[in-house]
């Protein structure tokens, strides 16, 4: 089973940028980033942010982040990244790296999760 470990979270001012990283124990078919907003504690309340199919370099983004975030991966390092720019308070939450089999609008099919890293956008 793939193991995932995120890093790179922290406190960022509005309009700022942060880059999240995720190291995977092995390559997965599909990789993605999810977030759990403050006050939404249940796993089912995580929302898909971006996903990528590494072998095709296909990506999909949540509409609210499409022009601000960029997902990428490094096959040699088994690493996944999320560059987040022009952050707002609505981007705050726990960000999870995930592995699965489908990258689509519904962000379904992800069944392996990292522990999460906190991103707080605040002045």
């Amino acid at each position: 089973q793939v193991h995932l470990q995120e890093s790179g979270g922290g406190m960022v001012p509005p309009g700022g940028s942060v880059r999240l990283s995720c190291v995977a124990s092995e390559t997965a078919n599909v990789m993605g980033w999810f977030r759990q907003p403050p006050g939404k504690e249940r796993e089912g309340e995580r929302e898909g942010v971006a996903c990528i199919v590494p072998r095709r370099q296909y990506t999909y983004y949540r509409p609210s982040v499409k022009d601000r975030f960029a997902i990428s991966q490094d096959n040699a390092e088994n690493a996944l990244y999320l560059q987040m720019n022009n952050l707002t308070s609505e981007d705050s939450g726990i960000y999870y790296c995930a592995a699965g089999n489908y990258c689509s609008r519904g962000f379904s099919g992800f069944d392996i999760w990292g522990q999460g890293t906190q991103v707080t956008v605040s002045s």
Side-chain angles (χ1 to χ4, degrees), residues 17-34:
S17 299
V18 69
R19 188 191 196 206
L20 304 182
S21 300
C22 171
V23 176
S25 58
E26 58 188 85
T27 302
N29 291 331
V30 174
M31 300 289 294
W33 288 98
F34 287 70

Side-chain angles (χ1 to χ4, degrees), residues 31-33 49-53 57-61 69-73 80-83 103:
M31 300 289 294
W33 288 98
V49 175
C51 56
I52 185 169
V53 182
Q57 288 300 300
Y58 169 81
T59 59
Y60 182 82
Y61 293 91
F69 292 10
I71 188 171
S72 60
Q73 50 83 222
L80 181 73
Y81 304 101
L82 185 68
Q83 177 67 43
C103 177

